[in-house]
Structure formats: structure tokens, C-alpha cells
Amino acid sequence: FAALFVVSSWPLLPLFMMQVPTARDGIDALTGLYVLNWGIHALANHPLGYFNANVFFPQAETLAFGEHLFGVSVAMAPFQWTLAHPILTYNFALLFSFTLAGTGAYLLARQITGSVRAGLIAGILFGFSPFRMAHIGDLGVLALHGLPWIFLIGHLYLEDGRRRLIYLGAFFTLVEVLSSTISLYYLAGGGILALMVALYRRRSARSSLIRHRLHFLTCAGLLLFVLYPFMKPYVNQEVELYSLNMEQSPAAVRIPSEPASIAS
């Protein structure tokens, strides 16, 4: 899958230290390049002020205007701290994203079907889908690479019901959500659908969920606790935007009562 990325993104490899790929006007790629390297910088210098990026001063928590890429920044920080090359670090993040996406889909399909060929086809279809290639410049969208790994862990749990898989799945879910906030929508929709199918087709799944309900509740509570500081800046931005729109709404403008004054 790493080799497929090199082929599908050619001629990026000879320009790996000079250019970043994009499918549109390049704004998303440059924004992702900035956010990733700001995150790595913040981790080393002021991690508690991660969302207070150095743009749009004096607005606070400006990183919440888009994807924060915290999980990707943590994973790529050793590369940037060692290589000190922002473009190279960003392109390595793309390489790992496509490799992880393809490998996760391969393992999931092979686990379900028992076929290596089916796994390879699934890995190519998911890892290099038209959707991903159309967003090759948007690192926040590409960071959905963790989804097949989460569903793989869920499938393994439904097969043997091992308790430690619950905590492993919670960890992978945390990493995925911290890497791409839009993954919440995909996890909610796909997870509910997969759970409904499992409960309908497997009686053992129902007994396992009941038996381990306290562990599921514990993981859910831990996820909410850890994710709260990362969701709060987005809520603050939405509240501020709503208040600003209310202040500027037409209802707040005083309309003259006499038609003659309006005409004049």
C-alpha cells in the first residue's frame, strides 16, 4: 500500500521535500501543512495552549476554525523534531495515512471473508478510493484511516468476546477522533448500523454486551472525559458565532415607522 501511494501520487516522490499534493486549488493542503506543524510546535512549547494558534489575533482558540489534527501531530512530532522539515513531515503523514487505511481495510476484509484476495481488493478500494484521492490535499479527511481498524476490533470482539478488546477499541476510537473530528459522524452511523446487524444475527453478541456493560460504560465515560477539552473550543466558537449573528440579524435593526421617511 505504501508502494501504491508512491505510484498514485507520482511525481510526488522526487519532490517529497519541496511540494505537497493537492486535488484542488491547494488551500486545503497549505492549511493542513500549517495546522500540522503548528500542532507539533505547540506540543513542544505550550501544549495547554494548543488551540490558541498564532492567527486571527486577538481571537482565542482559533485552531477550532477547522480540524485540529491533534492525533496526527502527536504521531508525526518525532519526525519534525528530528528532521526539522515541515514539508517532509507533512508528506510522511500522507504516506502513513494511505498505508494505514489500506492495511486496515485489508485486515478487516480478510478477517471477515478469510480471503487474502478479498482483503487486497478492499484495501485498494478503501485506501485509494475516489473520495480519498479527491481529498488528497485535506489531511483532516484523509485521517479517517483509523475507521477500518476500529471496525476490525469490533468484529474480533463479536467473535470471541474478549474484554480487553473493548479497551483496545476505545483507544483506537480516541486516536481516530483526535485525528479527525468528522470521524464522529462516520463512527456514529457505521457503528450503530454494525451493532444492529450483529445483535440481529448473533445471540452471543447480545450476551457479551450485557455481560460487559460496565466495561462499555467505563470506556464511554473515559472517552467523554478525554475528548471534552478538544470539543469545548468548537462549542465556544459556535456559541460566539451564534451570538454575533443574533446581534447583526435584521430583527435587531430599527425600522422607521413612517413610509415617507423610508422613501426619503
Side-chain angles (χ1 to χ4, degrees), residues 21-23 27-30 32 90 132-139 142:
T22 182
I27 298 300
D28 289 339
L30 295 178
Y90 178 89
R132 287 178 59 82
M133 297 306 296
H135 291 84
I136 195 171
D138 193 339
L139 194 55
L142 296 179

Side-chain angles (χ1 to χ4, degrees), residues 3-40:
L4 282 176
F5 171 74
V6 173
V7 173
S8 62
S9 63
W10 191 266
L12 176 63
L13 185 60
L15 306 171
F16 217 61
M17 300 179 66
M18 295 179 287
Q19 297 185 14
V20 296
T22 182
R24 288 178 285 183
D25 56 10
I27 298 300
D28 289 339
L30 295 178
T31 302
L33 177 64
Y34 162 75
V35 173
L36 176 63
N37 285 278
W38 164 261
I40 296 173

Side-chain angles (χ1 to χ4, degrees), residues 237-254:
Q237 295 291 1
E238 290 298 327
V239 171
E240 184 173 349
L241 180 61
Y242 176 78
S243 300
L244 183 62
N245 288 336
M246 289 298 295
E247 292 176 359
Q248 297 178 349
S249 64
V253 179
R254 183 176 180 272

